[in-house]
Amino acid sequence: MVNRPRDLTEKIATLRRDYQQGFTLDVALVDPDPFEQFTEWFNFAVKSGIREPNAMSLATVNGDGKPSVRVVLMKDYSEAGFVFYTNYQSRKGIELATNPHAALVFLWVDLERQIRIEGSVSKISEAQSEAYFNARPRSAQIGAIISAQSSVLSSRDELQKKKQELELNSEGKELTKPKEWGGYCVSPTQFEFWQGQASRMHDRIRYQLVNNAWVIDRLSP
Ligand SMILES: Cc1cc2nc3c(=O)[nH]c(=O)nc-3n(C[C@H](O)[C@H](O)[C@H](O)COP(=O)(O)O)c2cc1C
């Protein structure tokens, strides 16, 4: 049994709040285009000053149908989809190579909002990944080069040594993007915008891509 303090157990039972931002969400009020609706909410999230508004949970599924989820940063979006950067040989990279579908969640808890996105995933072009890599701070470039993301490390020192070696050997030289590092684009076939409301009467508006048109429905909370 997990040994946790009694007051923490009591606290969990009482962690409950009523949502009261007062934003309304309705089929008749949302933009017919989910990307426009996303822009409206994302812009609001950025302007409201919440931390890491571009952080999104990314769920992937492996060859055995088992899901895994982690947070990544959305670095761009357009009608083509939502872009994030990572290591193609990481766990998520291996899962996406087997099953190129993903689900995303943006949670903006201070705004009582959640956006869910589902779609197919493809690698973006090498040129686009290179341009992004070249624009990153050198420390982030070094991190991307030395980390065989998701592989087991014997110790923190092992990584630290790799970092020092690269810093020494690359002094004054430009760093180049490793082959296994780059971007993915999630092309949505479904969005859901969730707005918390009082008394658990939450609003859920879903967009589904059917025959190249977005069909909008309200879902039960
Ligand atoms: C706020 C936040 C932002 C992150 N952004 C990224 C990112 O943009 N790309 C990335 O590869 N990992 C990012 N990570 C780390 C991932 O959550 C994860 O640890 C890593 O990608 C390895 O995942 P995997 O083993 O499932 O492939 C971020 C983590 C947090 C908490």
Side-chain angles (χ1 to χ4, degrees):
M1 208 187 114
V2 180
N3 186 14
R4 66 181 184 219
R6 179 191 289 271
D7 60 342
L8 186 58
T9 301
E10 283 160 8
K11 185 77 189 159
I12 293 171
T14 58
L15 278 175
R16 162 182 295 277
R17 52 181 277 203
D18 219 17
Y19 297 114
Q20 44 206 3
Q21 290 275 352
F23 302 116
T24 349
L25 192 59
D26 193 56
V27 172
L29 295 174
V30 293
D31 198 289
D33 179 341
F35 291 96
E36 298 291 342
Q37 184 62 36
F38 180 86
T39 295
E40 192 181 318
W41 274 28
F42 185 56
N43 193 28
F44 189 83
V46 170
K47 291 208 165 122
S48 68
I50 57 173
R51 283 190 66 185
E52 314 240 44
N54 61 333
M56 57 187 189
S57 299
L58 161 77
T60 54
V61 174
N62 73 8
D64 296 331
K66 293 182 179 161
S68 66
V69 64
R70 79 289 290 153
V71 173
V72 293
L73 296 179
M74 185 272 286
K75 285 293 174 179
D76 193 16
Y77 75 95
S78 67
E79 303 74 39
F82 292 78
V83 173
F84 63 91
Y85 291 88
T86 194
N87 187 305
Y88 291 141
Q89 285 165 8
S90 64
R91 178 175 176 184
K92 72 182 90 50
I94 290 165
E95 295 189 355
L96 287 170
T98 313
N99 183 347
H101 298 274
L104 306 172
V105 173
F106 290 87
L107 170 65
W108 299 321
V109 78
D110 289 345
L111 302 176
E112 303 169 349
R113 285 179 170 174
Q114 166 183 255
I115 302 177
R116 295 169 61 174
I117 295 168
E118 289 162 37
S120 56
V121 184
S122 52
K123 288 181 183 172
I124 64 170
S125 72
E126 272 293 291
Q128 207 184 331
S129 289
E130 264 165 29
Y132 178 71
F133 182 87
N134 294 339
R136 299 181 94 200
R138 193 171 176 88
S139 59
Q141 292 177 335
I142 288 175
I145 294 170
I146 60 161
S147 174
Q149 196 178 48
S150 313
S151 67
V152 174
L153 278 169
S154 60
S155 66
R156 192 176 168 81
D157 273 357
E158 189 186 332
L159 193 64
Q160 196 70 42
K161 274 201 196 101
K162 278 194 187 179
K163 181 169 172 273
Q164 282 164 354
E165 267 171 33
L166 181 60
E167 281 169 349
L168 213 70
N169 298 335
S170 68
E171 232 176 59
K173 294 183 207 148
E174 253 181 46
L175 294 168
T176 47
K177 181 188 85 58
K179 248 188 0 291
E180 65 277 11
W181 190 94
Y184 284 104
C185 180
V186 181
S187 305
T189 50
Q190 184 164 313
F191 285 75
E192 184 198 310
F193 294 81
W194 185 99
Q195 177 73 63
Q197 298 291 0
S199 312
R200 299 292 184 267
M201 296 285 284
H202 313 308
D203 291 321
R204 298 178 63 192
I205 301 294
R206 181 184 65 189
Y207 296 71
Q208 284 179 299
L209 194 57
V210 182
N211 299 328
N212 274 329
W214 290 104
V215 176
I216 308 179
D217 291 297
R218 172 180 286 276
L219 303 180
S220 303

